[in-house]
Amino acid sequence: MATIKLGFAPTRRSIFSAPDAIKYRGLTADRLRELGIDFVDIDDINEEGLLYDDNDVKKIAAKFKKEGVDGIMFPHCNFGTEYVCARLAKEMNVPVMLWGPLDERPQENGVRLRDTQCGLFATGKVLRRFQIPFTYVTNCRLNDPVFERGLRDFIAVCNVVKNFRNIRILQISTRPFDFWTTMCNEGELLERFNVQLAPVPMTELTEEVKAVKEEGGKLADMISYIRENMKVQIKDNEVENVAALAVAMEQLVEKYGCGAAAIQCWNALQTELGVMPCAANAILNDKGIPVVCETDIHGAITALMVEAAGMGETRGFFADWTIRHPDIENGELLQHCGPWPISVAKEKPQLTYPLAFDHPGSLTAEAKHGDVTLCRFDGDNGEYSLLLGNAKGVDGPKGMGTYLWVEVDNIKRLEAKIVEGPYIHHCVGIHKDVVPVLYEACKYIGVKPDLYDPIEEDVKAYLRGE
């Protein structure tokens, strides 16, 4: 599971009860510890451990940067001091969570101790003035389920943003000539999003495969893994090539400091090794290293976002939208030649031949059913968006490769979205509802969320605690 560290900056305002603010700072910190949240406090910055003095902003920012916080939480322990919150957030440039504990009943004489809700209104406005995106978790009690849910969703948002801002992808060869759909603007991705590519020629991969075979140790371990986890239906020398390819790709990913890879797939690789890379891709995908097909850089970006939204607990799978379901009106076949992680299969996968190619090295297995999120990061003409929505696995005809029949709310609406763009026939799925997390993360990364079903108000309602 991914780990995220929060900067804990509880705030107060001088005209309201300082003792009550200190009390709620402590209660909130205790609740975070109880939930297992990794956080950095500001107890050593001033005697109260609260953010209210502008002179403390630089010191807090320096501490948070040194500790490497991935997001900031501003609990409003009373009204709070909105401009120092905004100045600290501006200094840090990480996701911001705005929240405050529910106010108590006024005292019998009418005195109110904290006015937390009122302060949240003020800070929200000032953050907007500073052009700082933020995540609002509804004004609630510390033990309310919505507090834990909102906090954990915010941590997942931080993980998406952290990963998106530090993407480096191993690009193995060029895109296949016939796949004009997978072209991308490398310079623009770097300038806009800091997405970095590490391009290597196919010969570098094949030389790495030779080195793996010469070394032998890792190759033997990988062959054992394949025979234990797959129904092998190809020749021994072909199994060896699949295993060596998996080890070689992982070593190149590590060598170039990448988090994912995109490989050409065909046809140069088959000339050199005589196998498809699908099963090798599947092995790395199961390790949390997304490897996508047809040198689809935007697909690799999508895969990294999906894995981050799932906090590394569930593997994503890279799929084609292929054909409509023959029997279910809003059904669709998600399929690819065999690169899906073994962990998403509902049966032991066969290591065999793919659809439409004459070389071995792909997997055949139906994926587990259940609820899935489907999405696609893409763009053209200088505009980028994230297509996302929900589907559920359904029964359907037997397929080849790795596949899953799904049902969506309205296939015609989804189909039009993909055709009219800026999307293509590739998407990434995950057996988890990460739509709200990805939707919220978009505000921090400069990408427009594009829901393929009219559920935006439902997503917003979820995010605000309904």
Side-chain angles (χ1 to χ4, degrees):
M1 181 176 176
T3 56
I4 289 295
K5 185 182 291 186
L6 295 183
F8 179 64
T11 182
R12 75 165 177 87
R13 199 182 193 94
S14 59
I15 63 173
F16 291 93
S17 171
D20 276 272
I22 293 169
K23 170 187 170 183
Y24 273 94
R25 177 213 67 197
L27 290 172
T28 305
D30 288 345
R31 181 64 173 142
L32 296 185
R33 295 186 189 98
E34 183 182 320
L35 294 172
I37 306 302
D38 187 9
F39 68 94
V40 179
D41 61 36
I42 58 172
D43 290 357
D44 58 332
I45 301 297
N46 58 50
E47 291 182 357
E48 297 180 10
L50 291 165
L51 173 62
Y52 61 90
D53 187 344
D54 191 35
N55 293 316
D56 290 338
V57 169
K58 293 289 185 183
K59 291 181 282 185
I60 295 170
K63 180 179 182 179
F64 284 177
K65 289 177 181 178
K66 182 179 178 182
E67 294 286 343
V69 304
D70 304 303
I72 302 177
M73 178 183 182
F74 288 120
H76 279 47
C77 297
N78 64 25
F79 188 98
T81 305
E82 61 269 30
Y83 69 92
V84 292
C85 291
R87 285 175 175 170
L88 177 58
K90 194 76 170 180
E91 185 79 19
M92 293 301 301
N93 189 32
V94 293
V96 169
M97 174 176 157
L98 185 58
W99 168 83
L102 200 65
D103 293 288
E104 305 86 355
R105 178 189 295 272
Q107 296 179 355
E108 290 185 3
N109 61 3
V111 171
R112 301 190 309 274
L113 297 175
R114 295 187 295 115
D115 272 20
T116 284
Q117 185 199 45
C118 192
L120 293 168
F121 297 148
T123 301
K125 177 63 174 179
V126 176
L127 288 172
R128 284 181 54 84
R129 290 290 193 192
F130 275 70
Q131 297 185 333
I132 297 167
F134 62 92
T135 296
Y136 178 58
V137 174
T138 193
N139 186 207
C140 64
R141 297 178 180 86
L142 281 163
N143 288 318
D144 287 343
V146 71
F147 173 75
E148 180 179 355
R149 188 184 83 182
L151 179 61
R152 295 200 186 281
D153 283 344
F154 176 68
I155 287 171
V157 168
C158 291
N159 198 40
V160 174
V161 175
K162 175 184 179 180
N163 279 272
F164 186 84
R165 289 177 175 176
N166 295 280
I167 287 177
R168 189 183 299 173
I169 298 166
L170 180 71
Q171 179 184 323
I172 302 173
S173 193
T174 62
R175 63 173 172 82
F177 170 77
D178 290 330
F179 268 65
W180 285 50
T181 51
T182 59
M183 69 172 62
C184 74
N185 188 326
E186 180 181 354
E188 189 170 72
L189 288 173
L190 178 60
E191 294 160 3
R192 290 275 297 276
F193 306 118
N194 192 41
V195 170
Q196 300 177 32
L197 305 186
V200 299
M202 188 62 73
T203 50
E204 185 167 348
L205 175 62
T206 55
E207 288 301 310
E208 192 73 17
V209 168
K210 293 176 186 176
V212 168
K213 290 182 176 181
E214 289 175 6
E215 186 273 331
K218 292 181 180 179
L219 176 63
D221 290 342
M222 185 60 71
I223 291 173
S224 296
Y225 172 85
I226 289 171
R227 294 198 178 279
E228 182 179 342
N229 291 280
M230 304 173 190
K231 295 179 180 178
V232 177
Q233 298 179 347
I234 63 176
K235 298 173 184 176
D236 288 350
N237 68 305
E238 295 166 342
V239 173
E240 181 181 272
N241 281 343
V242 170
L245 181 58
V247 175
M249 286 196 294
E250 185 172 6
Q251 289 181 173
L252 288 177
V253 165
E254 183 177 348
K255 175 182 177 181
Y256 288 97
C258 299
I263 186 169
Q264 186 190 79
C265 299
W266 46 275
N267 291 315
L269 186 64
Q270 288 71 52
T271 302
E272 295 293 327
L273 297 180
V275 295
M276 302 298 293
C278 315
N281 295 358
I283 292 167
L284 268 64
N285 284 327
D286 237 342
K287 291 186 172 189
I289 305 170
V291 182
V292 302
C293 314
E294 287 116 14
T295 327
D296 182 1
I297 300 301
H298 290 170
I301 294 170
T302 310
L304 287 167
M305 294 177 71
V306 166
E307 292 269 338
M311 293 298 291
E313 297 176 321
T314 307
R315 298 276 77 93
F317 54 94
F318 179 78
D320 278 357
W321 304 99
T322 58
I323 62 171
R324 299 261 195 106
H325 197 294
D327 305 312
I328 297 175
E329 182 180 2
N330 289 303
E332 176 76 17
L333 177 62
L334 300 178
Q335 188 268 351
H336 224 284
C337 294
W340 295 5
I342 295 170
S343 59
V344 309
K346 74 172 189 178
E347 56 201 6
K348 192 170 186 177
Q350 301 172 45
L351 177 54
T352 183
Y353 284 75
L355 175 72
F357 291 94
D358 296 327
H359 292 87
S362 71
L363 297 182
T364 287
E366 183 179 4
K368 299 170 186 174
H369 291 194
D371 295 332
V372 294
T373 295
L374 302 174
C375 64
R376 168 76 185 179
F377 168 90
D378 217 325
D380 52 36
N381 300 295
E383 296 182 0
Y384 291 84
S385 56
L386 183 69
L387 181 71
L388 71 164
N390 303 108
K392 64 178 181 180
V394 294
D395 292 331
K398 181 175 175 58
M400 293 182 67
T402 41
Y403 68 97
L404 176 65
W405 290 97
V406 296
E407 184 178 12
V408 297
D409 186 56
N410 186 325
I411 190 62
K412 291 179 180 178
R413 181 169 57 215
L414 171 57
E415 185 178 85
K417 277 268 189 188
I418 298 169
V419 172
E420 293 168 4
Y423 312 107
I424 68 169
H425 62 292
H426 287 166
C427 69
V428 176
I430 187 170
H431 287 83
K432 190 173 184 178
D433 185 5
V434 293
V435 169
V437 168
L438 290 170
Y439 178 91
E440 185 70 9
C442 283
K443 68 170 62 170
Y444 295 103
I445 60 177
V447 174
K448 177 186 174 183
D450 188 6
L451 296 156
Y452 58 72
D453 290 323
I455 58 170
E456 187 165 23
E457 288 307 313
D458 294 334
V459 172
K460 289 179 177 179
Y462 170 89
L463 289 168
R464 63 177 175 257
E466 294 181 18

